[in-house]
Amino acid sequence: MRKFWSLGIVLLFSGVTLSADAFVWKAQKEGSVIYLGGTVHLLRQSDFPLPAEFDTAYRKAQIVVFETDMGQMKDPAVQQKILLKSMYQDGTTVDQHLSPKAYGLLRDYCQSQGIAVESLRHLKPSIIMVTLMTMELMKMGIDQSGVDDHFYLKAQHDKKKVQWFETIDQQIDFVVGMGQGNEDALVSYFLTEMRNLNESFSSLVDAWKRGDAKTVHTYMIDDVKKKTPQIYRELLVERNRNWMPLIETFARTPQIEFILVGAAHLVGEEGILNALKKKGFTVTKL
């Protein structure tokens, strides 16, 4: 359950050679310093160790900031809450919330993968899509925790202070409600993406490790913005705007923070890095 939950936040997401660049930035304003790292929530064992710039920012920071309370995500009570919110509680099933065409696409995909579509009928479309995509990633050997888990455990070990932008309930609602009202478009988009998942994920991780913001933008934002603008708006734009006041508060503290959020949140016209520049911060690659 935890793994497909994390994937939902990243996907709105190979033998990589490390370089001197990485997906880590330093933002400065009036003597204050904040580090920002764009993360991938699920990785392969071969994707470790992480680029050295992540450890550099971590060592300099007194506070590590995550999207949500990583510790609570492992709480059985939270897992139960996720499960309950993922399922229809009014007696309806997913075929009643999709058009015949969209449900046919889902049924055909499940049959091609040897999955009994009936086993998913009580789940909401967003959760079904994230579940199916997680199954595909696991076939590719992507079953390791990602950057966020890595640094949360490290911060716990080092007794560093941790903070977060959103409550667990907010994160659950974001993923469960993904594409609500446009479920057909959501299903069509995800099933299409899974046809080239192996290639696209490898390209994404490669670009991320090289600090290639342009390619990450192409893979994680351009297509989503064009084909599912509702998901783009709800999972990226609105949340970025909600986080900015707290980020500005961090800039007024004497401590140095290391903010770790999904890579898609940082880049692009409506990303956090651009928002910081508009607020007068000097933003440079670490």
Side-chain angles (χ1 to χ4, degrees):
M1 177 66 74
R2 182 188 60 80
K3 288 186 177 181
F4 80 65
W5 166 253
S6 295
L7 181 62
I9 302 299
V10 120
L11 291 177
L12 277 179
F13 300 203
S14 66
V16 179
T17 301
L18 300 185
S19 67
D21 210 350
F23 228 79
V24 183
W25 283 262
K26 181 179 183 180
Q28 296 174 278
K29 182 180 179 181
E30 298 174 355
S32 177
V33 175
I34 300 171
Y35 291 98
L36 303 104
T39 72
V40 177
H41 298 310
L42 288 176
L43 290 170
R44 291 174 269 216
Q45 188 173 5
S46 60
D47 293 321
F48 290 89
L50 300 174
E53 290 83 351
F54 279 90
D55 281 320
T56 297
Y58 172 81
R59 287 195 301 270
K60 291 179 179 291
Q62 289 85 49
I63 302 172
V64 188
V65 185
F66 300 94
E67 291 184 19
T68 194
D69 184 346
M70 302 291 293
Q72 277 198 51
M73 290 303 299
K74 298 174 175 63
D75 186 334
V78 171
Q79 297 299 306
Q80 182 65 20
K81 181 181 291 188
I82 294 172
L83 182 61
L84 289 174
K85 287 196 173 187
S86 298
M87 301 174 68
Y88 291 110
Q89 302 297 323
D90 58 2
T92 61
T93 52
V94 68
D95 56 299
Q96 296 173 274
H97 294 266
L98 296 174
S99 68
K101 180 179 179 181
Y103 185 71
L105 291 174
L106 174 61
R107 183 189 58 240
D108 292 345
Y109 175 83
C110 287
Q111 288 177 348
S112 71
Q113 301 298 312
I115 300 168
V117 70
E118 286 295 306
S119 67
L120 305 172
R121 65 196 304 265
H122 295 290
L123 295 174
K124 297 177 181 178
S126 58
I127 302 303
I128 292 175
M129 292 302 101
V130 175
T131 301
L132 293 177
M133 190 163 283
T134 299
M135 292 170 68
E136 285 299 308
L137 290 175
M138 291 180 69
K139 292 178 185 177
M140 296 158 49
I142 303 165
D143 59 356
Q144 298 292 313
S145 297
V147 181
D148 313 77
D149 272 338
H150 174 81
F151 281 108
Y152 176 76
L153 293 174
K154 195 171 179 61
Q156 291 294 104
H157 178 270
D158 296 339
K159 301 188 184 306
K160 286 199 178 190
K161 184 178 180 180
V162 299
Q163 290 186 224
W164 48 86
F165 290 112
E166 298 166 344
T167 66
I168 292 292
D169 284 335
Q170 286 176 312
Q171 283 238 325
I172 294 172
D173 289 342
F174 279 128
V175 175
V176 172
M178 185 168 56
Q180 187 172 356
N182 289 285
E183 288 85 355
D184 285 4
L186 175 79
V187 169
S188 177
Y189 176 75
F190 267 76
L191 294 180
T192 299
E193 286 299 296
M194 281 190 278
R195 295 173 186 168
N196 301 305
L197 186 59
N198 197 330
E199 178 183 350
S200 61
F201 186 87
S202 296
S203 297
L204 169 62
V205 173
D206 179 57
W208 169 75
K209 280 210 169 187
R210 288 185 285 104
D212 183 349
K214 182 178 180 179
T215 298
V216 170
H217 186 282
T218 298
Y219 274 94
M220 300 189 75
I221 296 179
D222 284 347
D223 201 45
V224 174
K225 186 177 181 180
K226 178 181 178 181
K227 297 179 180 178
T228 57
Q230 179 183 351
I231 293 176
Y232 169 73
R233 183 179 65 255
E234 293 175 350
L235 290 191
L236 291 175
V237 178
E238 292 179 4
R239 294 170 72 211
N240 288 351
R241 290 173 181 169
N242 291 340
W243 296 348
M244 279 304 298
L246 186 53
I247 294 175
E248 290 183 85
T249 298
F250 291 149
R252 295 191 289 270
T253 69
Q255 294 90 3
I256 295 176
E257 293 84 8
F258 184 24
I259 296 172
L260 287 161
V261 294
H265 286 285
L266 296 186
V267 298
E269 179 65 26
E270 296 173 288
I272 291 173
L273 297 177
N274 197 47
L276 286 170
K277 292 176 184 177
K278 290 180 178 179
K279 294 288 186 179
F281 286 82
T282 300
V283 180
T284 56
K285 248 328 181 23
L286 191 61

